[in-house]
Amino acid sequence: MKKTLTVLIAAGALLGAAGCSAAPPLSNEETCARIQSVGAGPTSNSDKAGMIRLANRIRPIEATASEELQAPLHSIIEYLDESAQPTPDAGKLAELQAPYTAAGQTLNEVCGAGGQ
């Protein structure tokens, strides 16, 4: 019984370590394709629940996004997170608005029809 438990713990540790290794960043084209698949999903960001769903769909993309698109995705997630709060801080939202708008423009330039 002890040997089996030890083997299971060791296997779990190896799998955990393998899961924690950093994936190589995606190219802009791959990142854009993933972003577009999220945008095509049935998520409405007009209500708080929709903003939460959208931010949660973007988070895994940000983790492996191309270097050029990581910062814009992070800005979008920050804005959506603050907007989805039960009582959003108006000052913080105003502070996050410019980076959020710039992020949208960057995504449009990089992922737009002429950007690929």
Side-chain angles (χ1 to χ4, degrees), residues 42 48 69 76 81 89:
K48 290 183 188 289
L69 296 176
I76 291 169
D81 285 345
D89 181 339

Side-chain angles (χ1 to χ4, degrees), residues 1-63:
M1 183 70 172
K2 283 185 179 181
K3 288 182 182 180
T4 303
L5 182 59
T6 303
V7 169
L8 288 175
I9 291 172
L14 286 173
L15 289 175
C20 292
S21 63
L26 300 172
S27 68
N28 280 350
E29 292 79 17
E30 293 167 325
T31 303
C32 289
R34 291 185 69 193
I35 292 167
Q36 290 167 351
S37 71
V38 166
T43 301
S44 167
N45 65 355
S46 61
D47 63 347
K48 290 183 188 289
M51 285 186 249
I52 292 168
R53 283 191 302 272
L54 182 59
N56 287 338
R57 286 179 159 182
I58 295 172
R59 281 180 221 288
I61 298 171
E62 178 199 12

Side-chain angles (χ1 to χ4, degrees), residues 43-112:
T43 301
S44 167
N45 65 355
S46 61
D47 63 347
K48 290 183 188 289
M51 285 186 249
I52 292 168
R53 283 191 302 272
L54 182 59
N56 287 338
R57 286 179 159 182
I58 295 172
R59 281 180 221 288
I61 298 171
E62 178 199 12
T64 59
S66 64
E67 289 183 27
E68 185 176 1
L69 296 176
Q70 278 184 344
L73 290 174
H74 184 73
S75 296
I76 291 169
I77 291 169
E78 280 186 318
Y79 184 84
L80 292 172
D81 285 345
E82 185 59 36
S83 297
Q85 295 295 320
T87 53
D89 181 339
K92 188 169 182 180
L93 274 178
E95 182 182 307
L96 295 171
Q97 181 65 47
Y100 174 75
T101 302
Q105 291 171 343
T106 300
L107 286 177
N108 192 35
E109 290 171 8
V110 175
C111 298

